[in-house]
Amino acid sequence: MKAVFPGSFDPITSGHMDVLTRASGIFEQVTVTVMHNARKQGKHLFPLEERLEILREATAHLPNVAVDSFSGLLVDYMRQQGRSIIVRGLRAVSDYEYELQIAHLNRQIGDTETVFIMAATRWSFVSSSMVKEIASYGGDVSEMVPRASAQALRLKFAEAYAAKAGDTEKI
Ligand code: PNS
């Protein structure tokens, strides 16, 4: 069976990577699809092309994983691709209510089945938004994201990282 792992991936974190790696061990093929989250409108750090580039690099070692993007409804994408299984990661109970609602709605409007994969507990508190906040102050996020994301964050917040390095040199 082939699955779709949709998300904003702005950028992909180690938690996402953990869920994706587990999914790639369960399903014959998994497509990671960058989609638009209306709740995060205008809040993206990385433009779509950069997110895709990061994803391609971060998933290059997983032979049964492909990267794609779509700008409409997830259920329309699923129909277009001939897929019915959606993979979503769960970090903590706090994710559950929102995910449950979307899973039910997607099933109602698109006849899809959502499979939840629990991220390892060490990633329970990692989110793209927290990672971006830490990186924006030049903080170390190398443990929380794959190398491709860390490099892209360093470029994006080059000034903050340079300032931080300057501070450290002074000490
Ligand atoms: O990583 P995210 O932001 O939690 O992913 C959410 C995403 C992008 C998968 C969700 O917002 C989505 O499916 N967007 C596509 C539009 C859609 O189908 N919306 C209806 C379900 S909320």
Side-chain angles (χ1 to χ4, degrees):
M1 269 194 284
K2 297 180 181 183
V4 170
F5 181 34
S8 307
F9 304 113
D10 185 42
I12 187 164
T13 66
S14 299
H16 291 132
M17 284 303 296
D18 182 32
V19 170
L20 178 61
T21 307
R22 288 164 200 272
S24 74
I26 297 170
F27 299 102
E28 179 191 338
Q29 201 268 353
V30 182
T31 302
V32 188
T33 307
V34 180
M35 305 212 51
H36 187 70
N37 184 339
R39 298 177 4 144
K40 296 177 181 168
Q41 204 147 20
K43 290 186 194 159
H44 291 128
L45 174 66
F46 294 100
L48 175 65
E49 254 323 306
E50 286 180 35
R51 280 183 269 163
L52 288 170
E53 198 48 51
I54 295 168
L55 276 170
R56 284 188 206 109
E57 204 179 318
T59 61
H61 63 291
L62 297 168
N64 62 340
V65 169
V67 172
D68 197 7
S69 66
F70 188 75
S71 63
L73 276 178
L74 175 55
V75 290
D76 289 337
Y77 177 76
M78 299 298 288
R79 214 171 282 128
Q80 186 195 86
Q81 298 294 313
R83 309 241 173 139
S84 61
I85 300 169
I86 298 167
V87 170
R88 290 287 287 172
L90 286 179
R91 287 167 299 188
V93 181
S94 48
D95 284 337
Y96 184 70
E97 212 170 320
Y98 170 66
E99 293 296 338
L100 185 72
Q101 183 180 14
I102 296 184
H104 280 305
L105 287 174
N106 281 335
R107 185 162 61 195
Q108 197 167 323
I109 63 173
D111 208 17
T112 52
E113 206 60 70
T114 301
V115 173
F116 293 112
I117 294 184
M118 263 63 78
T121 49
R122 66 185 291 223
W123 310 124
S124 296
F125 301 100
V126 173
S127 67
S128 296
S129 50
M130 288 301 170
V131 161
K132 283 182 280 191
E133 184 165 340
I134 295 167
S136 73
Y137 293 103
D140 181 13
V141 294
S142 53
E143 280 283 297
M144 299 172 214
V145 292
R147 201 166 36 212
S149 297
Q151 279 167 351
L153 286 162
R154 277 196 165 267
L155 276 179
K156 202 59 98 179
F157 296 115
E159 276 182 28
Y161 279 104
K164 192 97 173 172
D167 281 357
T168 317
E169 271 161 32
K170 272 180 231 152
I171 300 164

